[in-house]
Amino acid sequence: MPIAVDIDVMLAKRKMSVGELAERVGITPANLAVLKNGRAKAVRFTTLAALCEVLDCQPGDLLRFEPEAGPESGSGPRPRAALEGAG
């Protein structure tokens, strides 16, 4: 997936455990692990905002774009109609 999640980096910088972060954000450690390991398909803005508040960071400190390699990856821009339907 072209979105990389760097929650581990911020956890290390803040010397915080996954369990403590999950408790302070209000999500289960299992759901935080899914997000942290890059297996999540989506993240709510409210969750992202809570993560940023607890970790005292910006969304860009937690998420970054990594283009997929090669033209066969199909990572070109999505048609506008497809974007409008995504909610």
Side-chain angles (χ1 to χ4, degrees), residues 38-57:
R39 295 189 317 263
K41 298 293 181 195
V43 60
R44 293 176 191 251
F45 281 158
T46 53
T47 302
L48 183 58
L51 287 166
C52 290
E53 185 174 340
V54 170
L55 293 170
D56 189 28
C57 66

Side-chain angles (χ1 to χ4, degrees), residues 56-82:
D56 189 28
C57 66
Q58 294 294 312
D61 297 324
L62 301 177
L63 304 172
R64 64 188 153 80
F65 179 73
E66 288 186 347
E68 294 179 357
E72 68 281 352
S73 66
S75 62
R78 291 170 54 190
R80 182 164 180 79

Side-chain angles (χ1 to χ4, degrees), residues 2-50:
I3 301 296
V5 181
D6 290 327
I7 291 176
D8 281 340
V9 174
M10 291 307 297
L11 282 171
K13 286 182 180 179
R14 303 296 185 248
K15 296 181 170 81
M16 188 180 298
S17 70
V18 172
E20 180 183 353
L21 179 60
E23 183 177 329
R24 291 178 62 184
V25 169
I27 61 176
T28 66
N31 284 341
L32 181 58
V34 168
L35 178 60
K36 182 175 75 78
N37 295 324
R39 295 189 317 263
K41 298 293 181 195
V43 60
R44 293 176 191 251
F45 281 158
T46 53
T47 302
L48 183 58

